[in-house]
Amino acid sequence: MPADRSIESARGNPILAHASRVDRTLADATPVIDLRGLRFSWDRGATPVLAIESLRIDAGERVFLHGASGSGKSTLLALLAGVVVAQGGQVRVLGTDLADLGPATRDRFRADHTGIIFQMFNLVPYLSVLENVLLPCDFSPRRRARAEARGGSPRAEALRLLASLDLDGPRFLARQPAQLSVGQQQRVAAARALIGAPELVIADEPTSALDADRRDAFLDLLFRECARESTTLLFVSHDAALAARFDRRIAFADINATATRLAAA
């Protein structure tokens, strides 16, 4: 299809618009995630639990990473978030080698550029729904400014995100996490990850506690919000049945095959 017709057909459809933007920028953009010769072990000198020769994920991609429980997927996410640092190789996020940053700078970088949906959601129990969603704007002036640019104020953008995730109403916004269902906690965690338009959203098994209908509805909402901002989504799960909904599927065992060979040696 010619480019002008492709762009025309994407108007009014956020999913087609997302695909069109990815196609136009993929070749020249700095990758959002770029791993080269990665080596990591929890005990220095031990056989690495991660040995990934290369992995590239570009701006706007929606990538499904699947693998068995306990295989090292969450360790990889900790490296991408800068919570831990690799002993060898490069972990680049948005062109920045995280090993070059000190701990405090890595924390600021994560707050500015990465939204995380944790498997257990990790909502702050004594904060309200609205306060939980606004937390990234408290830690990151960059995300606060983006939220203001998109919604007029961080509060207005938080309310928009919550409404888009079918979570609104004054009584609901004042609730604390313990007063929410599992599905509601999950969507609050998604709104928190998305506010301020981070370039990368990492989702670690976020649908594991949901039934099929709620899982599919959550994915629809997550895709729509990521497409709206051309956000890169790395979605980690052991449920391979979800893979068809993503732009690309990556088997963790394939990219971490070197670690398997080293452990067997």
Side-chain angles (χ1 to χ4, degrees), residues 64-71 73 205 236-239 250-253:
F64 181 83
L65 178 64
H66 69 94
S69 297
S71 61
K73 302 187 303 298
E205 300 274 9
V236 178
S237 177
H238 65 275
D239 185 0
I250 299 174
F252 186 76

Side-chain angles (χ1 to χ4, degrees), residues 103-119:
T105 307
R106 287 200 309 275
D107 289 345
R108 288 195 298 271
F109 187 88
R110 177 174 61 254
D112 284 344
H113 301 290
T114 305
I116 303 174
I117 307 173
F118 298 93
Q119 183 174 2

